[in-house]
Amino acid sequence: MQEPEITDDLIAAHGLKPDEYQRILDILGRSPSFTELGIFSAMWNEHCSYKSSKKWLRTLPTTGPQVICGPGENAGVVDIGDGQAVVFKMESHNHPSYIEPYQGAATGVGGILRDVFTMGARPIAAMNSLSFGAPDHPKTRQLVHGVVEGIGGYGNCFGVPTVGGEVRFHPAYNGNCLVNAFAAGLADADKIFYSAASGIGMPVVYLGAKTGRDGVGGATMASAEFDDTLEEKRPTVQVGDPFTEKRLLEACLELMATGAVISIQDMGAAGLTCSAVEMGDKGGLGVKLQLDAVPQREAAMTAYEMMLSESQERMLMVLRPEKEAEAKSIFDKWDLDFAIVGETIAEDRFLILHGNEVTADLPLSKLASSAPEYDRPWTSAMPDATPIELPQIDPIDGLKALIGSPNYAAKHWVYEQYDSQVMADTVITPGRGAGVVRVHGAGKMLAFTSDVTPRYVHANPVEGGKQAVAEAYRNLTAVGARPLAATDNLNFGNPEKPDIMGQFVGAIQGIGAACQALDMPIVSGNVSLYNETDGAAILPTPTIAAVGLIADADHLIDGAVRDGHVALVIGDTAGHLGQSALLADVFNREDGDAPPVDLDAERRHGDFIRAQCALIKACTDLSDGGLALAAFELAEAAGVGVSLDSADTAQLFGEDQARYLVACNFDQAEALMTAAAQAGIPIASVGSFGGSTVRYGGSEAPLADLATLYRTAFASHLD
């Protein structure tokens, strides 16, 4: 088949700027072939090269005594003691999920699961963070239904519990929803598998499902804004098969146990191209591929299509040659393709053969580590420091407005479509703060949470970045877990706009400061830029997913409130209403500054909660909706009423940080207050739990009526 002529339009269609194409000409000393152009496009796009973000990502804290492997591999690896490690990562599938919601979300789940088991870990937990447009926008209902069904369809069939996540709505996501998928797995700390190839003349092996034309150009599409050509991008969305993925998991783990694997890499974004280049580049080797050997499910596929296909459920591996027969028998048993498609070579070359032709011959190191890197100009706007003045409102009316909105209503409609109990080790299920999973047979547990408040980041990127980390820290602490580490999913608009790049830089600065102060290094992550449609950007959404360890089951805080429990707030309440949920959902305003984050207070208050866990029956952090919403959520979950002393709007709905709501018996409350006084920790009694009504100050309503509103509002907006 004759290759198309390389024209300016073709170069632009591949997402390459004129100066980047000139750089390719300078590297090669000639014009690239069509396949070579596709390979450069895939490796140099934003999604794969991080060319706009590398400079700032390097500033994040990524190390610590608990960190076995930080960023740069398929997933991060953290020591949890007893020779065990937790392997985890979060990654976006935003653009595909907007174009084709079910498959986009499903393959996002599949991709993140592969990132985890590629490292040798068996997945034990999944989460997701979802951002959609306004509930009344014409596309929102379709997107929510498709995305949730896709996540549930893939995760449930694969057999991993979904233990947490978040769902938000805002008009800024009308043209570009966000689907961030998280997975974590367990592995032996001394049996982690990495992607760096080693050894010359070692066989490069293709594993898993056959290659088709689905997803060709997906990574390049993910590095561009949307416009009125959206429908043309539909073929760039991959199609997933969770049952094949389950077999691939079992085959890979069985193969890893034989000692046959030198290195292994998931075929994710840019498929065969990215996986082969990354393995070679990390090992300082070249790679030669013979595409005739690639298992194909469609006829007459070109070299370009095979190299850039993002067909799912595929791996690339460098194999010990003496183990070839044993390895092939394992994959035959699991009814999966196993094909030797190339070898490692000493030269710095990425050599692609198809038929009797050389379709690409490139210097491999120039494709990965020598990709363009930009120091993009950025500007930072001064946060709005104007004090927020609101009239006093009836507190129950304010509560009803929050729990009746899709942002703060119960999300049963979403998470009941996910299997949270498969594997039978889930201790805390979705909807109750951080998810908690037993480490099977080990007497310890892992906690998982995902957090960000985009309106804070938009108002003040530095404080908003800090707050995302701090809230994750608090959510882990509230179940008794010691925070270990985090993964980030940094979703922003077009980085070529200085104000958007300023949002990114500020958020990174805040995230870095908080991770450093709270000993929560970033061990893996993903950057998703160009989340814009027709020039309108999403809210900056740097999602933080974090993992914590409950070393002893006795340290778990998992009780429910009951009649007679005292309600205590740990932390200072000044009544910060800037960018609050109340301001947005009741007064339709998004003004003021984000709440300031005192990282020293976050650390001290978190340490106090964990040290006093034996005295605490139930605990939640105070974030969106402040004390009013947190107290209601604890009460509603237990079917017990709550009475708060204050009717003051700022005291009830303010979103000051570093705060927890704690419930316990009277004698335990006394002991907690004594301990807090000795430690210099702010603590105050704010009310009690009991009865069948919710009473804030002099205003009250039956708990049953509020619970009905809370549990039905989400579906009423979207069904």
Side-chain angles (χ1 to χ4, degrees):
M1 181 182 293
Q2 186 173 1
E3 291 198 335
E5 179 186 355
I6 308 296
T7 63
D8 290 345
D9 287 346
L10 189 64
I11 294 164
H14 280 75
L16 292 164
K17 301 281 198 304
D19 61 315
E20 291 174 335
Y21 184 68
Q22 183 58 51
R23 189 167 176 168
I24 292 170
L25 296 179
D26 294 343
I27 288 170
L28 298 181
R30 58 175 173 81
S31 296
S33 68
F34 179 56
T35 300
E36 289 173 334
L37 180 70
I39 289 170
F40 269 108
S41 165
M43 293 306 302
W44 284 14
N45 67 56
E46 195 73 57
H47 189 76
C48 292
S49 73
Y50 295 89
K51 58 190 177 187
S52 297
S53 57
K54 279 181 189 173
K55 169 186 168 71
W56 299 102
L57 295 177
R58 293 190 188 104
T59 68
L60 291 171
T62 59
T63 60
Q66 72 275 40
V67 178
I68 295 173
C69 175
E73 279 291 341
N74 288 289
V77 185
V78 174
D79 194 334
I80 60 170
D82 306 311
Q84 293 177 302
V86 59
V87 179
F88 63 95
K89 187 182 183 184
M90 189 172 233
E91 197 162 72
S92 61
H93 231 219
N94 302 336
H95 285 54
S97 298
Y98 188 77
I99 297 168
E100 187 63 63
Y102 185 97
Q103 290 297 347
T107 52
V109 174
I112 200 65
L113 289 168
R114 285 195 304 281
D115 280 338
V116 166
F117 70 76
T118 300
M119 304 287 291
R122 180 175 290 279
I124 62 162
M127 294 190 296
N128 51 80
S129 178
L130 312 176
S131 303
F132 298 104
D136 58 357
H137 186 270
K139 277 193 72 82
T140 298
R141 183 181 181 280
Q142 173 212 353
L143 289 170
V144 174
H145 279 259
V147 164
V148 171
E149 289 168 12
I151 290 169
Y154 202 103
N156 296 352
C157 293
F158 178 85
V160 62
T162 298
V163 301
E166 52 188 344
V167 185
R168 69 180 55 84
F169 297 86
H170 191 280
Y173 304 104
N174 280 349
N176 201 129
C177 64
L178 302 183
V179 176
N180 294 175
F182 168 94
L186 280 176
D188 291 338
D190 60 351
K191 294 176 183 172
I192 305 299
F193 288 82
Y194 298 99
S195 58
S198 64
I200 297 167
M202 296 293 111
V204 174
V205 183
Y206 175 113
L207 307 169
K210 288 179 167 57
T211 293
R213 291 187 171 92
D214 52 324
V216 173
T220 301
M221 176 270 294
S223 302
E225 297 179 36
F226 284 152
D227 53 28
D228 56 9
T229 64
L230 182 64
E231 283 302 311
E232 298 171 16
K233 296 182 170 72
R234 192 172 297 277
T236 62
V237 178
Q238 313 92 319
V239 177
D241 178 355
F243 298 109
T244 297
E245 178 115 332
K246 176 65 171 175
R247 287 184 285 122
L248 183 61
L249 162 70
E250 300 299 344
C252 283
L253 294 183
E254 186 174 338
L255 179 62
M256 288 165 171
T258 69
V261 179
I262 295 174
S263 64
I264 187 165
Q265 174 75 35
D266 162 42
M267 281 196 231
L272 190 54
T273 289
C274 194
S275 55
V277 169
E278 288 191 5
M279 290 173 76
D281 186 63
K282 288 175 183 175
L285 296 169
V287 173
K288 175 182 176 182
L289 296 179
Q290 174 51 262
L291 297 186
D292 295 333
V294 170
Q296 299 161 54
R297 68 166 185 262
E298 298 185 48
M301 289 190 71
T302 65
Y304 179 96
E305 290 169 332
M306 279 188 273
M307 291 307 298
L308 298 183
S309 166
E310 293 183 7
S311 294
Q312 296 292 285
E313 293 86 41
R314 302 180 301 159
M315 298 282 197
L316 199 64
M317 177 182 70
V318 177
L319 175 74
R320 299 190 189 282
E322 67 274 14
K323 296 277 190 177
E324 180 187 330
E326 184 178 4
K328 186 176 186 307
S329 69
I330 290 170
F331 275 75
D332 286 346
K333 180 183 80 173
W334 288 101
D335 193 25
L336 292 165
D337 280 292
F338 176 99
I340 295 177
V341 296
E343 63 178 338
T344 57
I345 56 178
E347 302 93 339
D348 178 20
R349 293 173 76 188
F350 192 38
L351 184 60
I352 312 299
L353 306 175
H354 187 213
N356 296 316
E357 294 182 20
V358 174
T359 56
D361 188 356
L362 302 169
L364 186 143
S365 64
K366 300 296 184 185
L367 293 167
S369 51
S370 297
E373 182 175 336
Y374 297 122
D375 184 3
R376 297 203 185 276
W378 58 278
T379 58
S380 57
M382 287 296 293
D384 178 6
T386 307
I388 299 298
E389 295 185 7
L390 292 178
Q392 292 293 317
I393 63 167
D394 181 283
I396 296 299
D397 287 346
L399 177 65
K400 286 179 178 177
L402 291 183
I403 64 177
S405 79
N407 277 317
Y408 306 110
K411 303 301 190 296
H412 297 76
W413 184 92
V414 175
Y415 58 71
E416 286 178 356
Q417 296 187 52
Y418 308 149
D419 190 339
S420 62
Q421 296 287 359
V422 65
M423 302 176 76
D425 279 319
T426 306
V427 177
I428 297 182
T429 53
R432 299 169 55 202
V436 176
V437 173
R438 294 182 199 91
V439 178
H440 198 77
K444 57 191 173 189
M445 304 173 187
L446 289 168
F448 305 97
T449 187
S450 167
D451 299 286
V452 65
T453 308
R455 63 182 183 276
Y456 291 174
V457 188
H458 188 254
N460 188 329
V462 175
E463 291 302 311
K466 286 183 192 174
Q467 193 275 340
V469 176
E471 187 174 344
Y473 175 88
R474 291 196 302 270
N475 278 330
L476 296 176
T477 296
V479 296
R482 176 172 64 87
L484 289 177
T487 179
D488 57 14
N489 202 149
L490 307 173
N491 308 274
F492 291 81
N494 183 345
E496 297 168 48
K497 298 177 179 177
D499 60 326
I500 300 293
M501 195 65 206
Q503 293 174 353
F504 183 87
V505 172
I508 286 281
Q509 290 171 338
I511 290 167
C515 287
Q516 191 74 48
L518 301 175
D519 283 344
M520 281 174 56
I522 298 289
V523 297
S524 59
N526 170 241
V527 178
S528 175
L529 302 177
Y530 295 97
N531 288 290
E532 299 199 2
T533 299
D534 295 327
I538 61 163
L539 290 180
T541 311
T543 310
I544 300 293
V547 178
L549 175 66
I550 302 171
D552 186 322
D554 290 341
H555 297 163
L556 175 69
I557 302 173
D558 185 31
V561 299
R562 63 168 180 77
D563 273 323
H565 272 168
V566 177
L568 302 170
V569 167
I570 291 170
D572 285 316
T573 301
H576 184 97
L577 289 170
Q579 299 298 331
S580 64
L582 183 79
L583 197 66
D585 280 58
V586 177
F587 293 92
N588 198 29
R589 289 169 53 185
E590 294 187 8
D591 53 317
D593 199 356
V597 179
D598 182 337
L599 293 170
D600 179 61
E602 294 282 4
R603 179 70 178 255
R604 289 186 296 107
H605 299 177
D607 288 346
F608 179 78
I609 292 284
R610 287 188 297 277
Q612 304 299 330
C613 62
L615 297 174
I616 297 170
K617 294 299 184 184
C619 182
T620 183
D621 89 304
L622 299 191
S623 50
D624 284 323
L627 175 61
L629 186 57
F632 169 77
E633 288 175 341
L634 278 186
E636 195 277 336
V640 172
V642 59
S643 176
L644 297 180
D645 301 331
S646 178
D648 181 75
T649 299
Q651 291 290 304
L652 286 172
F653 294 96
E655 296 181 5
D656 307 279
Q657 300 295 294
R659 296 188 303 155
Y660 299 83
L661 175 62
V662 166
C664 55
N665 297 326
F666 184 80
D667 56 341
Q668 294 166 327
E670 283 192 322
L672 264 180
M673 295 183 86
T674 299
Q678 292 172 346
I681 302 293
I683 190 168
S685 173
V686 295
S688 61
F689 291 92
S692 59
T693 62
V694 175
R695 183 180 66 81
Y696 293 168
S699 180
E700 65 179 65
L703 173 64
D705 292 353
L706 295 175
T708 298
L709 172 63
Y710 180 60
R711 287 177 172 261
T712 58
F714 189 93
S716 72
H717 283 283
L718 292 157
D719 268 358

